[in-house]
Amino acid sequence: MTTRTRGFLRDNGLGLGFGLAFLLALVGQAIAGHAEFNNQLATDGLAQVGFGEYLMSSDFAVDVTENWQSEYLQFFLYITATVWLLQRGSPESKEMDKAGTESDKDQQVGRYAHRHSPRWARGRGFRRHVYSHSLGLVMGTLFALSWLSQSIAGVAAYNEEQLRQLQAPIDWGNYVGSADFWSRTLQNWQSEFLAVASMAILSVYLRQRGSPESKPVGAAHTSTGVEG
């Protein structure tokens, strides 16, 4: 392994590690989901489908996208809510006197930008405004797109089940207002909200040495916005 390759792996270890974990989990989900889907078809007395056919099915698509949209919602809300909402003693919170969007000096924009600042941070007007909120905008857009994908795949999967039971299919609008859609959606949302709240509160009192998601081991419980 060359020095350049080792340097690339070191500099991008977090993204590469979780990217690989994502792919392995997705493959595992596809294999398990395919087996479960065929078991259900066998129970209903229907012909089983191949792995490739299952990957192209609405059942697989809705299972994937309903998880994606809840994750992107979690990060979108967390990114935007932590501008104003604080948690004393948590490294996940800003310091207690920094609620809000902060000053140009604190954010190093406009005339306070330095030579290594992104070009749009040094700009003015619309470009700087958009760049100042770009992370939240992109996360919100990804949530909206994955939510839409979930609803489209969901209505297709729901209607397939309706036809198997010799019942009439429904349109997209009725599905989005149905109990099936909101049951799928809210069971993911509540788990994401619980996880964020747990992390914000538990990190006040508990530590993980060396992690930027934790305060230094010896930091006071009241220390806020301090990372280890």
Side-chain angles (χ1 to χ4, degrees), residues 79-182:
I79 289 164
T80 54
T82 51
V83 174
W84 298 98
L85 301 182
L86 308 174
Q87 181 68 48
R88 182 179 295 277
S90 176
E92 301 297 313
S93 168
K94 296 193 294 185
E95 296 176 14
M96 302 305 291
D97 61 346
K98 291 188 176 181
T101 55
E102 304 179 15
S103 67
D104 287 354
K105 183 177 181 180
D106 289 334
Q107 289 293 307
Q108 302 176 30
V109 297
R111 64 190 181 93
Y112 297 103
H114 50 77
R115 64 188 183 91
H116 296 298
S117 296
R119 184 178 62 181
W120 281 32
R122 298 195 300 267
R124 297 177 179 275
F126 178 74
R127 289 197 307 169
R128 191 172 80 193
H129 178 76
V130 169
Y131 189 70
S132 297
H133 299 87
S134 56
L135 184 58
L137 288 171
V138 169
M139 285 295 182
T141 299
L142 289 172
F143 160 68
L145 291 175
S146 54
W147 181 90
L148 179 62
S149 298
Q150 177 203 347
S151 67
I152 294 172
V155 70
Y158 182 82
N159 282 335
E160 286 179 7
E161 183 64 26
Q162 289 287 94
L163 292 173
R164 289 188 199 125
Q165 298 176 7
L166 303 179
Q167 297 182 20
I170 62 175
D171 59 25
W172 179 82
N174 285 326
Y175 177 71
V176 169
S178 70
D180 180 82
F181 176 76
W182 285 107

Side-chain angles (χ1 to χ4, degrees), residues 9-93:
L9 293 175
R10 180 201 63 198
D11 293 345
N12 299 278
L14 189 60
L16 291 172
F18 275 94
L20 178 60
F22 160 73
L23 292 176
L24 292 174
L26 186 62
V27 170
Q29 177 189 350
I31 294 171
H34 176 236
E36 180 185 12
F37 187 67
N38 274 337
N39 287 339
Q40 184 60 51
L41 290 178
T43 300
D44 295 339
L46 301 173
Q48 299 188 347
V49 301
F51 186 67
E53 187 177 353
Y54 172 70
L55 292 181
M56 300 301 295
S57 71
S58 57
D59 290 82
F60 179 65
V62 71
D63 286 343
V64 171
T65 54
E66 74 180 29
N67 288 309
W68 288 4
Q69 61 91 3
S70 65
E71 296 296 335
Y72 282 122
L73 174 65
Q74 175 195 139
F75 281 107
F76 168 68
L77 292 178
Y78 196 64
I79 289 164
T80 54
T82 51
V83 174
W84 298 98
L85 301 182
L86 308 174
Q87 181 68 48
R88 182 179 295 277
S90 176
E92 301 297 313
S93 168

